[in-house]
Amino acid sequence: MKINKNFLDLEANYLFSTVGKKQREYQAAHPEADVIKLSIGDVTKPLCPAVIEAMHKAVDEMADEKTFRGYPPETGYDFIIEKILKYDFTDRGIKMDKSEIFLSDGAKSDCGNIGDIFAVDNKVAICDPVYPVYLDTNIMFGRKNNVIIMPCTEENGFSPKVPAEGDEVPDIIYLCFPNNPTGSVATRQQLKEWVDYANKHHSVILFDAAYEAFITDNSIPKSIYEIEGARTCAIELRSFSKTAGFTGVRCGYTVVPHDLVFDGTELNAMWFRRQSTKFNGVSYITQRAAEAIYSDIGQKQIQENLNYYRANAKIIFDGLTEAGFKCYGGIYSPYIWFKVPEGYTSWSFFDELLDQCNVVGTPGSGFGKCGEGFLRLTAFGNKERTIEAFERIKDKYGKK
């Protein structure tokens, strides 16, 4: 028996588990410390009442032989696919067919699994800093030597530059907007440049739109399919985790247009084959919960939760700014990306913030080399605890 040695090529960082381990060790050594966690992007507001009501009703249906459901359709029941089609695309003037929407157990799974349909020798362009799943899963697939790193820095507004003529051409391009971890967004013009580039070079864009619900400015695209030409070059991944608090429920979807044809083969057909072979679909109860999000009352209720997190983001951004830090993100994103003081590394400032303020963040270097010198904080915490965290930070680092 031989193992997949590509796993041995992974960086031994394990960002989020390392953050958790350091926090636990600190609390064990300082049991009196009141530690506030603003590190991991997990929601704290409960599921909205419309979702809970739908789940209860679905559970009752599963208890009755007349309404019991077994295996769901691989791509999702029509009742939820049709709602997604209408509210997320058709009502926004985006052409889409329901056969192009694939319900899943979340965008993270699809980000990792989508690599199944691409050859190992494809060249892959990935931003730095970036959500670690993109890089790690490509290394697992055996593409370590085919990764093209796209630096995202203060100088370029944390938005990757389209490769210049003569640069190495990627076959697969990962883009995430609103961005995790930097909180940056992309304009229509920026996305149009990427779409035009991908179509010109016959590349495919994997567009992670997990945080699109935080965009409140209509001039900023929520979907890459708002851009002309995207149907022939882009796959979009979406999630209900941050939109509706489904981090523990698990539901999202991926859009694969029929217009995506490479080597004479539709990627839609390949993704359907992959999902129907390796995935048994999302549970009926979860799909009814997701459907409830699109009701009038569901939309109102999830917006109340999103506004709660938006308010937290403002508290964090304003608090850091008042304490003298340079901040990014936090406007159309639940993440605030800020520069650590001169003389510190991301991890050394993480340690000081934990020790001096009992506040936990996420070191930027864990998202890539270009993340060194930054820390990420999340707005998904409790409001009162977030306020308390920034009273401590301002007291420690604010201008005297």
Side-chain angles (χ1 to χ4, degrees):
M1 192 278 288
K2 296 181 179 180
I3 64 168
N4 180 355
K5 292 191 176 181
N6 295 318
F7 278 70
L8 304 180
D9 289 333
L10 292 169
E11 293 288 338
N13 182 3
Y14 307 116
L15 174 61
F16 299 112
S17 59
T18 303
V19 169
K21 181 174 181 289
K22 279 179 166 281
Q23 178 189 340
R24 290 190 298 274
E25 289 175 347
Y26 181 83
Q27 288 188 300
H30 304 84
E32 77 289 350
D34 178 22
V35 175
I36 300 175
K37 188 176 176 181
L38 299 177
S39 52
I40 309 303
D42 194 5
V43 295
T44 53
K45 297 290 287 182
L47 297 171
C48 70
V51 168
I52 295 297
E53 182 180 350
M55 294 180 82
H56 280 305
K57 183 179 178 181
V59 169
D60 290 339
E61 289 180 39
M62 295 295 278
D64 187 331
E65 188 173 351
K66 295 177 182 178
T67 52
F68 172 79
R69 309 278 184 124
Y71 288 123
E74 295 97 331
T75 61
Y77 286 105
D78 279 350
F79 62 75
I80 177 60
I81 297 297
E82 288 170 357
K83 290 289 177 64
I84 290 170
L85 182 67
K86 172 178 167 55
Y87 287 90
D88 291 347
F89 298 104
T90 305
D91 285 358
R92 296 180 183 177
I94 300 172
K95 177 188 174 185
M96 199 64 64
D97 186 83
K98 67 181 184 180
S99 64
E100 297 172 322
I101 298 169
F102 296 78
L103 210 68
S104 73
D105 61 350
K108 182 176 183 177
S109 297
D110 286 355
C111 279
N113 295 330
I114 199 73
D116 281 358
I117 68 174
F118 301 116
V120 173
D121 58 357
N122 279 307
K123 295 177 181 178
V124 183
I126 298 176
C127 296
D128 180 354
V130 75
Y131 182 44
V133 171
Y134 308 154
L135 181 60
D136 288 355
T137 54
N138 274 285
I139 292 174
M140 290 175 184
F141 277 118
R143 300 192 184 101
K144 180 179 181 180
N145 296 324
N146 292 327
V147 172
I148 301 167
I149 294 297
M150 301 187 292
C152 297
T153 64
E154 287 181 283
E155 288 71 30
N156 62 18
F158 301 105
S159 185
K161 293 181 179 179
V162 174
E165 196 68 34
D167 287 350
E168 191 172 17
V169 176
D171 301 295
I172 302 168
I173 302 162
Y174 283 78
L175 297 177
C176 174
F177 293 106
N179 183 261
N180 177 15
T182 68
S184 63
V185 292
T187 65
R188 293 183 188 279
Q189 179 58 37
Q190 287 173 316
L191 289 184
K192 185 67 168 82
E193 290 175 7
W194 277 111
V195 167
D196 289 347
Y197 177 88
N199 280 321
K200 178 180 178 180
H201 295 280
H202 210 49
S203 306
V204 64
I205 295 170
L206 301 181
F207 190 76
D208 186 347
Y211 300 95
E212 56 83 22
F214 285 87
I215 296 174
T216 55
D217 183 340
N218 289 332
S219 70
I220 299 171
K222 285 174 169 277
S223 167
I224 198 165
Y225 301 116
E226 295 179 39
I227 309 302
E228 183 180 0
R231 286 185 56 84
T232 54
C233 69
I235 292 173
E236 185 163 288
L237 305 105
R238 291 209 177 194
S239 171
F240 296 122
S241 287
K242 307 313 191 307
T243 303
F246 274 38
T247 52
V249 176
R250 306 309 306 151
C251 194
Y253 65 90
T254 290
V255 182
V256 187
H258 290 294
D259 299 359
L260 283 169
V261 179
F262 294 82
D263 287 338
T265 302
E266 272 195 24
L267 295 190
N268 181 285
M270 291 188 69
W271 186 239
F272 177 82
R273 181 59 188 270
R274 190 272 169 204
Q275 290 297 82
S276 59
T277 300
K278 292 188 174 184
F279 183 56
N280 268 335
V282 179
S283 75
Y284 174 69
I285 296 166
T286 299
Q287 293 196 47
R288 283 299 187 189
E291 179 193 25
I293 295 167
Y294 293 98
S295 66
D296 290 342
I297 186 63
Q299 287 289 294
K300 179 178 182 295
Q301 290 170 353
I302 65 170
Q303 282 301 321
E304 290 172 356
N305 284 355
L306 287 166
N307 285 335
Y308 182 93
Y309 297 134
R310 290 183 185 115
N312 277 354
K314 189 175 188 307
I315 291 168
I316 296 171
F317 191 99
D318 291 348
L320 286 170
T321 302
E322 289 174 27
F325 294 96
K326 180 65 175 177
C327 302
Y328 300 92
I331 300 175
Y332 305 120
S333 166
Y335 299 122
I336 291 80
W337 184 245
F338 73 99
K339 292 187 74 169
V340 304
E342 188 174 347
Y344 290 84
T345 66
S346 294
W347 276 109
S348 67
F349 191 68
F350 166 92
D351 290 334
E352 179 168 300
L353 197 64
L354 175 57
D355 183 59
Q356 297 295 311
C357 301
N358 295 159
V359 174
V360 183
T362 305
S365 57
F367 296 99
K369 292 180 180 178
C370 292
E372 179 55 76
F374 290 86
L375 209 74
R376 190 196 76 174
L377 296 179
T378 170
F380 287 122
N382 170 272
K383 181 179 180 180
E384 287 70 28
R385 296 288 283 166
T386 300
I387 292 171
E388 169 62 24
F390 283 90
E391 290 302 318
R392 298 177 189 177
I393 290 172
K394 286 187 286 185
D395 183 60
K396 170 65 180 177
Y397 298 101
K399 297 174 182 177
K400 304 298 182 182

